[in-house]
Amino acid sequence: MSEGQRLFVGGEWTEPDGGHYPVTDPATEGTVGWAPEASPEQVRAACAAAREAFGPWSRTRPEERAAVLARAAGIIRDSLEPYADLARAETGATAGTARAMQVGVAAARFRRYAAVEPAEWAVVPQINEAGPMGRAGVMGALAVRQPVGVVTCVTSYNNPWANPAGKVAPALAMGNTVVVKPAPQDPLSVYRMAEALEAAGVPPGVVNVVSGRDTAVGEAAVACDDVDMVSFTGSTSVGRRIAEVCGRDMKRQLMELGGKGAALVFDDADLGSAVAGIGTTFSFYSGQICTAPTRVLAQRGVYDRLVERLAGYAARLKVGDPGEPDTVVGPVISAEHRARVESYVELGRKEGAVVVTGGERPSLERGFYVAPTLLADCGNDMRVAREEIFGPVVVVIPFDDEEEGVALANDSDYGLVDYVWSGDVARAFRVARRLRAGGVGVNTVGRNMEAPFGGFKKSGVGRDVGVYALHAYSEVQALVWPG
């Protein structure tokens, strides 16, 4: 970029008060572009612009809002290649992942929420007993979804397209206005999304984007009195601090937080399917994804074979330039995060885990790479088994029978997505129902994008995706009248 990126506030592209900072390509360590550093005052101005725009936008017909989202989807789809190139450079994702799972999913999410959903539904009439104000009678009722208001969307660094789109699209569809605070590591893609929405005809103030490395930027976006709801994707530790602020002012929350997904592999499992599914931890965003099956619980009859096959799978994956078509594992987001992942591998060694493969930094001249790493002979009390590493690291823990496997899986602070592999489908579903997780993959790591997504325990609050996102970004109002 020849000049620094500007903020998007109230429909205007605005110079940041704090200047600009470099966005680093995790693969080359070069500078991708210059991101704007907003001041807290500019963040509050963005929230005020969203508040001013809320009334008119919320009163537009749902079909009009849907048309804007549909046009945005088309613009994103038509710019797939340059958008994907930027996403790859900002995040280190492989080219295929940037095209399909980042930009491609973002376009699909805008298209999905361009489909107008019914906003009201009849409630069964009820005969009420006589109350202090009159005699008994038949009461009719209607439940109506109303927009929440101004929504602050704090998004994650691992997917600067699909994650913001999953918040912005349903929020706008329901008549809310948004202030997006992207992750500081890769905010440039989110500004491209804002450009697409502007070109699609979104009115001034309906969408605002403010970025910055200073924690005061995010704090202002959450704490501002003009904000009615915060939608956050990120770590549990940050989510807890955001929830405390929201609690003080009774702001709505949608929290998609950390995960330490358990993958139970029974003796009768299809090992090929299990290895391929668990292996996505190494390849998909280089393990920087909260839904990854990072904690493998293997029944003893299959334990040795599973470890052997997982090690062979990991060792065959090409680590390197994400722009190359045969690269499977790209870099992690930053040098600091690489050091964090490597410190966990070393901690695992000290705790008694066996490093079956990986554990050493790949011999590449530049880039923040971590070799796919498999830690075996782990115990569920080890920190590498309990804490979210967020990198291409898998731990394997043995278990004897179904009861022990379920107990180990549930012995976690997290409960986002777990997995079960078994040739006995009835057992697989029986076990799945016993797992304390917001989602369970049965013989698959695939996701249905209409199924509710969210976590139990410290993995989050609320559900989104599909129609559930429309509920998440709306309040339900009851209209009652005499029959």
Side-chain angles (χ1 to χ4, degrees):
M1 295 174 62
S2 58
E3 59 181 19
Q5 172 67 52
R6 296 178 179 181
L7 306 168
F8 190 54
V9 177
E12 300 290 336
W13 294 96
T14 305
E15 287 292 338
D17 288 345
H20 294 84
Y21 66 90
V23 175
T24 302
D25 184 332
T28 68
E29 303 184 41
T31 298
V32 178
W34 296 87
E37 182 76 48
S39 65
E41 291 75 21
Q42 288 180 309
V43 176
R44 287 188 281 270
C47 298
R51 170 61 61 199
E52 183 177 355
F54 170 66
W57 177 250
S58 66
R59 291 190 294 270
T60 59
R61 295 170 61 246
E63 294 82 1
E64 294 177 38
R65 300 196 295 264
V68 172
L69 297 180
R71 288 194 294 270
I75 292 167
I76 293 169
R77 186 178 59 250
D78 291 344
S79 300
L80 175 64
E81 290 303 326
Y83 285 169
D85 287 344
L86 175 60
R88 177 184 55 75
E90 282 195 289
T91 67
T94 62
T97 295
R99 282 194 298 269
M101 301 306 297
Q102 295 190 349
V103 183
V105 169
R109 286 181 167 171
F110 278 104
R111 283 198 306 273
R112 188 262 178 265
Y113 293 107
V116 178
E117 296 280 348
E120 56 192 35
W121 59 96
V123 179
V124 177
Q126 181 176 343
I127 299 176
N128 290 349
E129 296 180 3
M133 302 302 294
R135 59 188 176 82
V138 177
M139 303 299 293
L142 194 67
V144 181
R145 282 204 296 261
Q146 298 278 21
V148 179
V150 176
V151 181
T152 287
C153 303
V154 184
T155 64
S156 60
Y157 72 71
N158 59 350
N159 196 325
W161 278 96
N163 185 255
K167 300 178 186 298
V168 172
L172 296 185
M174 283 308 306
N176 302 284
T177 55
V178 299
V179 177
V180 186
K181 194 280 176 185
Q185 297 93 333
D186 49 10
L188 301 179
S189 289
V190 182
Y191 286 105
R192 301 292 80 73
M193 186 182 296
E195 289 176 353
L197 284 161
E198 181 185 33
V202 69
V206 171
V207 175
N208 307 269
V209 183
V210 289
S211 58
R213 294 179 296 185
D214 194 326
T215 57
V217 175
E219 290 170 356
V222 169
C224 182
D225 290 339
D226 283 314
V227 172
D228 301 292
M229 174 180 173
V230 176
S231 176
F232 171 70
T233 300
S235 71
T236 297
S237 59
V238 175
R240 184 182 290 112
R241 295 199 296 272
I242 291 174
E244 290 171 354
V245 175
C246 290
R248 288 198 293 269
D249 294 324
M250 294 300 172
K251 295 180 181 181
R252 284 280 298 277
Q253 304 169 44
L254 180 60
M255 297 281 179
E256 197 271 278
L257 307 177
K260 191 70 177 178
L264 283 86
V265 183
F266 286 93
D267 286 346
D268 60 353
D270 178 339
L271 282 191
S273 173
V275 169
I278 296 164
T280 61
T281 301
F282 304 128
S283 57
F284 196 44
Y285 299 122
S286 301
Q288 298 168 112
I289 185 164
C290 51
T291 58
T294 56
R295 187 168 55 110
V296 177
L297 307 174
Q299 197 165 15
R300 291 192 186 274
V302 76
Y303 179 87
D304 289 336
R305 283 183 292 145
L306 182 63
V307 169
E308 181 182 4
R309 291 185 64 169
L310 279 172
Y313 184 95
R316 289 191 297 271
L317 300 177
K318 179 187 174 184
V319 180
D321 181 356
E324 296 293 331
D326 59 341
T327 293
V328 180
V329 183
V332 296
I333 193 67
S334 66
E336 293 78 10
H337 189 59
R338 176 180 60 186
R340 179 180 183 274
V341 174
E342 290 176 337
S343 71
Y344 268 106
V345 175
E346 185 57 32
L347 174 63
R349 283 194 177 99
K350 292 178 180 177
E351 290 181 311
V354 175
V355 180
V356 182
T357 190
E360 302 293 336
R361 185 176 296 184
S363 56
L364 297 165
E365 290 184 8
R366 292 181 301 276
F368 311 128
Y369 293 96
V370 176
T373 300
L374 183 67
L375 302 179
D377 296 345
C378 296
N380 207 48
D381 59 341
M382 294 180 177
R383 284 181 60 191
V384 289
R386 304 199 67 83
E387 299 176 13
E388 187 176 38
I389 299 173
F390 221 58
V393 180
V394 170
V395 303
V396 190
I397 302 166
F399 71 92
D400 289 313
D401 55 26
E402 182 178 315
E403 288 299 317
E404 184 186 14
V406 171
L408 287 171
N410 288 333
D411 181 17
S412 173
D413 291 336
Y414 298 105
L416 187 56
V417 181
D418 285 346
Y419 305 87
V420 181
W421 272 276
S422 174
D424 183 341
V425 175
R427 173 169 68 174
F429 275 92
R430 180 177 69 243
V431 168
R433 291 293 300 271
R434 296 180 64 191
L435 298 179
R436 299 290 296 165
V440 181
V442 178
N443 291 325
T444 184
V445 292
R447 281 181 59 192
N448 182 319
M449 297 310 293
E450 289 297 312
F453 181 71
F456 289 12
K457 298 182 280 189
K458 293 181 181 179
S459 284
V461 176
R463 296 293 182 271
D464 67 357
V465 178
V467 70
Y468 299 92
L470 297 175
H471 288 283
Y473 293 98
S474 61
E475 298 279 16
V476 178
Q477 181 185 59
L479 306 178
V480 181
W481 63 89

